[in-house]
Amino acid sequence: MTNIKKVGVVGAGAMGAQIAVVAALHHYDVVLQDISNDRLIKAKEVLETQLEKRVRKGKFSRDEVDKAFDHLTFTTEINQLHDVDIIIEAIIEDLEAKQSLFQTLEKIVSENCIIATNSSTIVSSKLIDKLTYQNRVCNIHFFNPVLVMELVEVVQGPHTSTEVAQQAMTFIQSISKKPVLLQKEISGFIANRILARLMDEALYLYEQGYASFEEIDYVVEKALGHPIGPFALMDLTGLDVNYAVRKQRYAETGLEVDRPKQSVVEKVEKGELGRKTGKGWYAYDQHGKKIENIQK
């Protein structure tokens, strides 16, 4: 394996964009690719706003931010990933879409390039059937918001070489994150499996009328010490993400407990996806600031 010098990120949503800029802030040349030019434009605007706030707070200097954007390339052309040393996929949580992308990427990059998925639901062994170099595929799971969260879960599948897993760990450390290595695959990994049980119970209590979602969030924050409650967290990550994750897990297990919860399904069907749409469990202004409660 070669040393990682250039990074590719596929998918310019909230996760992909932040992964890309974090790598750029640590002096890596980064290519952020998305099929939508509109998403790329929005990603750059959002990143500029986020980093400007951090400059004002003294967390980054103006020079650091300017240099990061100098290291960052935004493109719709997937072939611009041809010379990267590691790719982190952060597209929609859809198995077929990821499988197709990985097959395309393998044809573009060198045989030494690590190809990782940011998914915590779809383990990398599900993405390798038609790949030649299966040993260089793994999960590298960042947490939202990437600019803030230090933890990263690296998962070594049965196909992943030890050298690739260690290189992934070293790369994560080089961007000032703290990696944890899982030596066996399991959907959801560690944090999200534990969090899923908390969310299940929160949704059960809400749907059965024991308390409002605001009250449940308040209890979780004040009694358990969580920075935000489970409903506010769903708004932050996106109710569509929660829905897609549970749909995928239900497809894998067939267990009713893993099926998306009805209240989440109803909100997704209405397009109430959280902060990114201005309304989820709570309502938000154009800057993502909560403006009112919308208990139903």
Side-chain angles (χ1 to χ4, degrees), residues 102-279:
F102 272 51
Q103 291 164 34
T104 299
L105 291 173
E106 187 176 59
K107 296 173 184 176
I108 294 170
V109 300
S110 76
E111 64 186 56
N112 291 322
C113 177
I114 296 172
I115 306 178
T117 174
N118 184 57
S119 176
S120 68
T121 308
I122 300 174
V123 292
S124 65
S125 60
K126 293 184 176 293
L127 306 175
I128 63 170
D129 283 351
K130 296 182 180 179
L131 301 185
T132 301
Y133 301 104
Q134 299 180 352
N135 65 308
R136 43 88 172 267
V137 178
C138 65
N139 288 78
I140 299 179
H141 177 231
F142 292 80
F143 291 85
N144 190 23
V146 180
L147 279 163
V148 176
M149 300 292 284
E150 291 186 335
L151 180 67
V152 178
E153 294 172 318
V154 176
V155 186
Q156 182 176 356
H159 54 281
T160 309
S161 73
T162 299
E163 188 175 10
V164 164
Q166 288 303 319
Q167 258 203 313
M169 295 283 286
T170 300
F171 168 70
I172 295 306
Q173 291 167 339
S174 77
I175 59 173
S176 301
K177 300 297 183 183
K178 296 180 179 179
V180 171
L181 177 63
L182 281 74
Q183 299 179 22
K184 292 172 62 177
E185 286 186 337
I186 185 169
S187 178
F189 312 150
I190 298 173
N192 281 351
R193 290 184 69 85
I194 294 171
L195 181 61
R197 295 297 168 251
L198 184 146
M199 284 192 171
D200 280 353
E201 189 63 24
L203 285 162
Y204 172 80
L205 293 169
Y206 167 71
E207 290 181 355
Q208 296 300 314
Y210 289 102
S212 69
F213 65 82
E214 298 99 330
E215 290 167 329
I216 295 168
D217 271 358
Y218 183 78
V219 169
V220 171
E221 290 174 20
K222 300 303 180 183
L224 304 183
H226 291 211
I228 60 175
F231 294 93
L233 182 58
M234 278 185 271
D235 277 359
L236 174 63
T237 58
L239 275 85
D240 55 331
V241 174
N242 178 281
Y243 173 80
V245 167
R246 299 311 295 263
K247 188 176 179 181
Q248 177 65 32
R249 190 168 297 172
Y250 176 66
E252 292 178 4
T253 68
L255 299 175
E256 283 298 313
V257 68
D258 289 330
R259 189 191 288 272
K261 303 306 179 191
Q262 185 58 38
S263 57
V264 174
V265 173
E266 290 171 1
K267 286 196 170 292
V268 170
E269 289 177 346
K270 289 190 286 187
E272 297 176 2
L273 308 182
R275 292 192 188 187
K276 58 188 170 186
T277 60
K279 186 177 181 182

Side-chain angles (χ1 to χ4, degrees), residues 91 93-101 103 122 127 248:
I91 67 169
E93 202 70 357
D94 180 87
L95 178 59
E96 291 184 1
K98 291 180 189 290
Q99 288 172 332
S100 176
L101 174 61
Q103 291 164 34
I122 300 174
L127 306 175
Q248 177 65 32

Side-chain angles (χ1 to χ4, degrees), residues 74-91:
F74 297 82
T75 182
T76 58
E77 299 298 324
I78 199 165
N79 286 330
Q80 286 204 35
L81 297 166
H82 71 95
D83 60 345
V84 302
D85 302 304
I86 184 171
I87 291 178
I88 300 168
E89 166 271 313
I91 67 169

